[in-house]
Amino acid sequence: MERYYLEYELSDGTRVMLAFDDINDRDGCHISLDMYKVQLGPVDMEVLLRVVGKFRGTLLAPKS
């Protein structure tokens, strides 16, 4: 099975790596996070986890 990855930067500068089993889930998550940022405000860890969960993603680890 192929995995698809997304690296994303939170509002506090923390970079996280996310993994998805489906490319459409990865792309949908990325689009949703960026739309949230533009329309509703900063993306923090709480927001990230909520959105990632909707797209069946997994938080792998914060990056240094």
Side-chain angles (χ1 to χ4, degrees):
M1 177 184 263
E2 200 165 344
R3 298 278 285 179
Y4 301 93
Y5 299 94
L6 172 63
E7 186 174 348
Y8 200 82
E9 186 172 337
L10 301 177
S11 58
D12 66 1
T14 302
R15 297 186 71 81
V16 295
M17 184 65 72
L18 308 167
F20 301 85
D21 290 333
D22 184 274
I23 194 167
N24 294 314
D25 286 333
R26 184 207 56 194
D27 292 348
C29 182
H30 193 190
I31 291 166
S32 293
L33 288 168
D34 284 349
M35 286 178 60
Y36 185 98
K37 187 183 334 183
V38 169
Q39 295 178 1
L40 300 172
V43 175
D44 58 15
M45 186 62 77
E46 180 182 336
V47 170
L48 178 99
L49 292 175
R50 189 170 59 238
V51 174
V52 168
K54 290 180 181 179
F55 289 94
R56 299 183 302 267
T58 304
L59 173 65
L60 296 179
K63 296 189 62 135
S64 309

XYZ file of all heavy atoms in Angstrom:
515
model
N 0.841 -1.181 0.000
C 0.000 0.000 0.000
C 0.885 1.243 0.000
O 1.854 1.331 0.740
C -0.913 -0.007 1.229
C -1.777 1.221 1.333
S -2.763 1.274 2.818
C -4.280 0.622 2.171
N 0.511 2.199 -0.815
C 1.262 3.436 -0.920
C 0.770 4.441 0.120
O -0.416 4.475 0.451
C 1.086 4.013 -2.321
C 2.150 4.996 -2.682
C 2.169 5.285 -4.177
O 1.582 4.511 -4.944
O 2.774 6.289 -4.530
N 1.687 5.242 0.644
C 1.345 6.281 1.617
C 1.646 7.635 0.989
O 2.576 7.782 0.198
C 2.174 6.126 2.893
C 1.969 4.830 3.639
C 0.782 4.830 4.522
N 1.085 5.639 5.706
C 0.223 5.855 6.668
N -0.962 5.329 6.623
N 0.540 6.583 7.701
N 0.872 8.615 1.381
C 1.032 9.970 0.869
C 1.265 10.884 2.066
O 0.603 10.761 3.085
C -0.219 10.392 0.094
C -0.493 9.457 -1.051
C -1.340 8.363 -0.887
C 0.137 9.635 -2.270
C -1.556 7.478 -1.927
C -0.078 8.755 -3.323
C -0.932 7.678 -3.142
O -1.133 6.800 -4.163
N 2.234 11.789 1.923
C 2.671 12.604 3.053
C 2.433 14.083 2.796
O 2.460 14.546 1.663
C 4.163 12.356 3.321
C 4.429 10.919 3.681
C 4.798 10.000 2.703
C 4.268 10.471 4.982
C 5.014 8.664 3.032
C 4.483 9.143 5.320
C 4.857 8.251 4.334
O 5.059 6.936 4.653
N 2.206 14.792 3.896
C 2.022 16.227 3.863
C 2.778 16.825 5.033
O 2.588 16.417 6.177
C 0.526 16.573 3.976
C 0.156 18.044 4.155
C 0.596 18.861 2.944
C -1.345 18.196 4.382
N 3.643 17.756 4.741
C 4.321 18.515 5.796
C 3.600 19.849 5.907
O 3.342 20.516 4.895
C 5.789 18.727 5.440
C 6.575 19.377 6.548
C 8.067 19.449 6.252
O 8.528 18.800 5.306
O 8.764 20.162 6.995
N 3.248 20.236 7.143
C 2.453 21.443 7.343
C 3.011 22.248 8.508
O 3.451 21.670 9.505
C 0.985 21.073 7.614
C 0.045 22.203 7.359
C -0.392 22.490 6.076
C -0.399 23.015 8.399
C -1.238 23.556 5.833
C -1.249 24.073 8.167
C -1.667 24.343 6.876
O -2.508 25.405 6.641
N 2.985 23.561 8.381
C 3.472 24.442 9.448
C 2.300 25.056 10.202
O 1.420 25.682 9.602
C 4.350 25.555 8.876
C 4.985 26.407 9.953
C 6.015 27.381 9.419
O 6.561 27.137 8.341
O 6.256 28.383 10.100
N 2.300 24.862 11.514
C 1.259 25.420 12.374
C 1.523 26.899 12.640
O 2.613 27.416 12.361
C 1.212 24.656 13.698
C 0.937 23.162 13.587
C 0.999 22.511 14.957
C -0.411 22.911 12.930
N 0.544 27.566 13.229
C 0.650 29.000 13.484
C 1.797 29.363 14.425
O 2.313 30.471 14.369
C -0.666 29.536 14.047
O -1.013 28.864 15.238
N 2.229 28.422 15.275
C 3.343 28.709 16.194
C 4.703 28.364 15.594
O 5.722 28.428 16.276
C 3.148 27.981 17.524
C 3.234 26.465 17.400
O 3.471 25.945 16.286
O 3.060 25.786 18.426
N 4.729 27.974 14.317
C 5.979 27.657 13.634
C 6.366 26.187 13.682
O 7.318 25.778 13.027
N 5.639 25.383 14.449
C 5.909 23.942 14.509
C 5.567 23.304 13.168
O 4.505 23.565 12.607
C 5.057 23.265 15.611
O 5.354 23.880 16.858
C 5.332 21.774 15.687
N 6.478 22.490 12.656
C 6.226 21.765 11.416
C 5.871 20.326 11.774
O 6.541 19.715 12.591
C 7.436 21.816 10.498
C 7.751 23.251 10.072
C 8.842 23.331 9.048
N 8.440 22.840 7.755
C 7.730 23.531 6.848
N 7.317 24.736 7.138
N 7.436 23.006 5.684
N 4.808 19.828 11.156
C 4.352 18.469 11.429
C 4.320 17.675 10.127
O 4.177 18.236 9.042
C 2.948 18.446 12.082
C 2.989 19.079 13.454
C 1.924 19.141 11.210
N 4.457 16.364 10.252
C 4.365 15.469 9.109
C 3.110 14.626 9.272
O 2.887 14.039 10.332
C 5.601 14.570 9.029
C 5.620 13.679 7.808
S 5.738 14.570 6.248
C 7.416 15.150 6.286
N 2.308 14.589 8.227
C 1.053 13.851 8.226
C 1.117 12.764 7.158
O 1.763 12.941 6.130
C -0.109 14.803 7.911
C -0.179 16.058 8.771
C -1.156 17.062 8.171
C -0.552 15.704 10.185
N 0.447 11.651 7.405
C 0.421 10.548 6.447
C -1.024 10.170 6.138
O -1.890 10.205 7.017
C 1.156 9.340 7.006
N -1.248 9.790 4.887
C -2.579 9.414 4.407
C -2.458 8.187 3.524
O -1.470 8.013 2.811
C -3.197 10.557 3.590
C -3.330 11.839 4.358
C -2.272 12.731 4.453
C -4.499 12.158 5.012
C -2.378 13.910 5.166
C -4.626 13.333 5.729
C -3.566 14.206 5.807
N -3.494 7.353 3.522
C -3.522 6.178 2.661
C -4.046 6.503 1.266
O -3.880 5.715 0.342
C -4.394 5.073 3.272
C -3.748 4.472 4.506
O -2.504 4.496 4.608
O -4.495 3.972 5.368
N -4.683 7.662 1.124
C -5.283 8.035 -0.147
C -4.837 9.440 -0.537
O -4.886 10.358 0.295
C -6.812 7.968 -0.017
C -7.518 8.237 -1.320
O -7.751 9.422 -1.640
O -7.837 7.257 -2.015
N -4.436 9.610 -1.776
C -3.951 10.916 -2.229
C -5.041 11.977 -2.165
O -4.788 13.148 -1.887
C -3.336 10.824 -3.641
C -2.539 12.088 -3.955
C -4.401 10.522 -4.687
C -1.662 11.977 -5.173
N -6.294 11.569 -2.393
C -7.397 12.532 -2.328
C -7.628 13.031 -0.913
O -7.972 14.204 -0.705
C -8.675 11.910 -2.898
C -8.547 11.636 -4.378
O -8.082 12.480 -5.137
N -8.935 10.449 -4.790
N -7.428 12.169 0.083
C -7.528 12.604 1.478
C -6.415 13.590 1.807
O -6.641 14.600 2.479
C -7.467 11.408 2.431
C -8.758 10.603 2.432
O -9.826 11.180 2.146
O -8.695 9.398 2.717
N -5.208 13.302 1.336
C -4.091 14.222 1.581
C -4.375 15.586 0.974
O -4.229 16.626 1.618
C -2.793 13.664 1.009
C -1.612 14.573 1.352
C -0.476 14.535 0.396
N -0.880 14.837 -0.961
C -0.108 14.594 -2.004
N 1.051 14.016 -1.858
N -0.517 14.910 -3.215
N -4.797 15.597 -0.286
C -5.060 16.866 -0.962
C -6.230 17.605 -0.321
O -6.176 18.829 -0.145
C -5.331 16.620 -2.447
C -4.097 16.127 -3.192
O -2.985 16.196 -2.636
O -4.262 15.661 -4.338
N -7.285 16.877 0.037
C -8.435 17.503 0.681
C -8.078 18.115 2.024
O -8.544 19.204 2.372
N -7.236 17.414 2.780
C -6.794 17.922 4.074
C -5.991 19.206 3.899
O -6.212 20.190 4.600
C -5.968 16.852 4.792
S -5.425 17.362 6.429
N -5.073 19.199 2.941
C -4.237 20.375 2.692
C -5.100 21.581 2.304
O -4.938 22.685 2.833
C -3.225 20.067 1.597
C -2.148 21.084 1.489
N -1.263 21.103 0.456
C -1.799 22.125 2.280
C -0.420 22.104 0.604
N -0.732 22.740 1.709
N -6.038 21.357 1.399
C -6.932 22.431 0.969
C -7.762 22.938 2.146
O -7.903 24.151 2.346
C -7.833 21.942 -0.181
C -6.998 21.726 -1.434
C -8.975 22.923 -0.441
C -7.693 20.938 -2.527
N -8.291 22.034 2.955
C -9.117 22.427 4.103
C -8.324 23.215 5.130
O -8.819 24.206 5.685
C -9.733 21.193 4.763
O -10.669 20.601 3.899
N -7.094 22.798 5.401
C -6.258 23.535 6.354
C -5.964 24.946 5.854
O -6.037 25.915 6.615
C -4.951 22.774 6.614
C -5.077 21.506 7.439
C -3.784 20.701 7.379
C -5.451 21.815 8.871
N -5.643 25.068 4.570
C -5.355 26.390 4.016
C -6.606 27.272 3.980
O -6.536 28.467 4.254
C -4.740 26.266 2.624
C -3.284 25.834 2.670
O -2.675 25.822 3.770
O -2.735 25.506 1.596
N -7.756 26.673 3.675
C -9.001 27.446 3.674
C -9.352 27.898 5.090
O -9.809 29.031 5.296
C -10.138 26.620 3.075
C -10.042 26.490 1.571
S -11.350 25.477 0.862
C -12.804 26.367 1.344
N -9.141 27.030 6.078
C -9.389 27.392 7.472
C -8.531 28.603 7.836
O -9.015 29.574 8.423
C -9.068 26.222 8.393
C -9.411 26.498 9.840
C -10.604 26.040 10.382
C -8.560 27.231 10.668
C -10.944 26.303 11.706
C -8.882 27.503 11.980
C -10.076 27.036 12.497
O -10.408 27.311 13.803
N -7.261 28.541 7.469
C -6.322 29.619 7.808
C -6.785 30.952 7.216
O -6.744 31.985 7.886
C -4.932 29.268 7.281
C -3.860 30.227 7.728
C -2.470 29.967 7.186
C -2.116 28.594 6.799
N -0.734 28.425 6.356
N -7.236 30.937 5.983
C -7.657 32.166 5.310
C -8.981 32.690 5.864
O -9.140 33.887 6.077
C -7.772 31.923 3.784
C -8.447 33.080 3.088
C -6.395 31.676 3.188
N -9.922 31.797 6.115
C -11.270 32.235 6.477
C -11.521 32.355 7.981
O -12.303 33.202 8.406
C -12.300 31.278 5.881
C -12.292 31.304 4.377
C -13.271 30.328 3.765
O -13.999 29.627 4.463
N -13.295 30.264 2.452
N -10.873 31.505 8.795
C -11.218 31.458 10.216
C -10.084 31.833 11.161
O -10.323 32.112 12.329
C -11.734 30.060 10.580
C -12.990 29.638 9.806
C -13.317 28.186 10.085
C -14.144 30.543 10.152
N -8.842 31.774 10.694
C -7.738 32.163 11.559
C -6.644 31.122 11.628
O -6.606 30.184 10.830
N -5.754 31.273 12.595
C -4.570 30.421 12.698
C -4.906 28.933 12.871
O -5.882 28.579 13.525
C -3.848 30.934 13.946
C -4.442 32.260 14.242
C -5.815 32.266 13.666
N -4.060 28.104 12.286
C -4.188 26.651 12.439
C -3.231 26.213 13.548
O -2.018 26.264 13.384
C -3.853 25.914 11.120
C -3.870 24.406 11.325
C -4.825 26.312 10.024
N -3.794 25.832 14.695
C -2.985 25.301 15.791
C -3.142 23.782 15.817
O -3.810 23.198 14.959
C -3.367 25.942 17.130
C -4.832 25.737 17.495
O -5.516 24.885 16.890
O -5.301 26.428 18.415
N -2.544 23.137 16.797
C -2.562 21.673 16.853
C -3.982 21.131 16.990
O -4.324 20.114 16.374
C -1.680 21.168 18.000
C -1.534 19.663 18.033
S -0.740 18.939 16.585
C 0.976 19.319 16.915
N -4.820 21.805 17.763
C -6.199 21.352 17.948
C -6.961 21.346 16.616
O -7.644 20.383 16.276
C -6.911 22.244 18.963
C -8.347 21.852 19.220
C -9.039 22.793 20.196
O -8.353 23.442 21.001
O -10.269 22.867 20.136
N -6.824 22.430 15.868
C -7.489 22.533 14.566
C -6.922 21.480 13.620
O -7.663 20.778 12.929
C -7.309 23.948 13.971
C -7.785 24.001 12.525
C -8.039 24.977 14.822
N -5.608 21.348 13.599
C -4.964 20.373 12.721
C -5.476 18.960 12.983
O -5.863 18.256 12.048
C -3.441 20.405 12.903
C -2.716 19.373 12.062
C -2.157 20.000 10.810
C -1.636 18.699 12.853
N -5.522 18.564 14.226
C -5.962 17.205 14.556
C -7.416 16.974 14.168
O -7.777 15.887 13.700
C -5.746 16.927 16.040
C -4.285 16.846 16.490
C -4.199 16.700 17.997
C -3.558 15.726 15.781
N -8.230 17.981 14.332
C -9.645 17.853 13.957
C -9.793 17.664 12.442
O -10.515 16.782 11.978
C -10.410 19.091 14.433
C -11.898 18.975 14.289
C -12.654 20.100 14.972
N -12.289 21.412 14.458
C -11.800 22.410 15.203
N -11.605 22.260 16.492
N -11.510 23.569 14.660
N -9.080 18.467 11.668
C -9.169 18.378 10.206
C -8.539 17.081 9.701
O -9.103 16.393 8.854
C -8.513 19.614 9.540
C -8.466 19.457 8.025
C -9.264 20.884 9.920
N -7.382 16.721 10.235
C -6.710 15.490 9.817
C -7.592 14.274 10.093
O -7.660 13.350 9.274
C -5.332 15.350 10.518
C -4.751 13.971 10.327
C -4.375 16.409 9.994
N -8.290 14.283 11.208
C -9.184 13.177 11.535
C -10.311 13.013 10.526
O -10.715 11.891 10.209
N -10.805 14.115 9.999
C -11.878 14.057 9.004
C -11.406 13.429 7.699
O -12.209 12.906 6.936
C -12.431 15.454 8.735
C -13.207 16.018 9.895
C -13.736 17.393 9.586
C -14.491 17.933 10.793
N -15.005 19.274 10.559
N -10.106 13.511 7.453
C -9.552 12.976 6.208
C -8.760 11.687 6.436
O -7.948 11.294 5.605
C -8.678 14.040 5.526
C -9.493 15.165 4.952
C -9.714 16.319 5.682
C -10.062 15.054 3.701
C -10.479 17.348 5.158
C -10.828 16.081 3.172
C -11.032 17.234 3.918
N -9.001 11.038 7.572
C -8.387 9.753 7.889
C -6.852 9.781 7.813
O -6.219 8.827 7.351
C -8.946 8.654 6.972
C -10.444 8.465 7.120
C -10.980 7.340 6.276
N -10.711 7.489 4.854
C -11.525 8.047 3.976
N -12.669 8.501 4.368
N -11.193 8.124 2.712
N -6.293 10.891 8.273
C -4.842 11.027 8.286
C -4.254 10.678 9.640
O -4.978 10.502 10.625
N -2.939 10.603 9.666
C -2.206 10.279 10.890
C -1.105 11.304 11.095
O -0.359 11.623 10.151
C -1.552 8.880 10.766
O -2.560 7.929 10.467
C -0.831 8.499 12.026
N -1.011 11.833 12.311
C 0.089 12.715 12.665
C 1.285 11.837 12.991
O 1.224 11.012 13.907
C -0.281 13.570 13.881
C 0.811 14.433 14.473
C 1.253 15.501 13.474
C 0.308 15.090 15.759
N 2.362 11.978 12.215
C 3.533 11.143 12.441
C 4.404 11.714 13.558
O 4.712 11.025 14.505
C 4.350 11.003 11.154
C 3.619 10.291 10.013
C 4.506 10.227 8.791
C 3.183 8.900 10.436
N 4.814 12.958 13.426
C 5.658 13.565 14.450
C 5.913 15.018 14.114
O 6.016 15.363 12.930
C 6.991 12.832 14.561
N 6.013 15.866 15.123
C 6.467 17.226 14.855
C 7.899 17.188 14.339
O 8.677 16.327 14.738
C 6.402 17.915 16.221
C 5.499 17.057 17.049
C 5.652 15.670 16.509
N 8.221 18.100 13.455
C 9.589 18.175 12.935
C 10.325 19.311 13.634
O 9.726 20.300 13.994
C 9.554 18.416 11.428
C 8.914 17.254 10.677
C 9.082 17.402 9.220
C 10.516 17.392 8.884
N 10.957 16.622 7.799
N 11.604 19.150 13.774
C 12.419 20.183 14.427
C 12.733 21.300 13.463
O 12.914 21.107 12.321
C 13.729 19.598 14.910
O 13.491 18.454 15.674
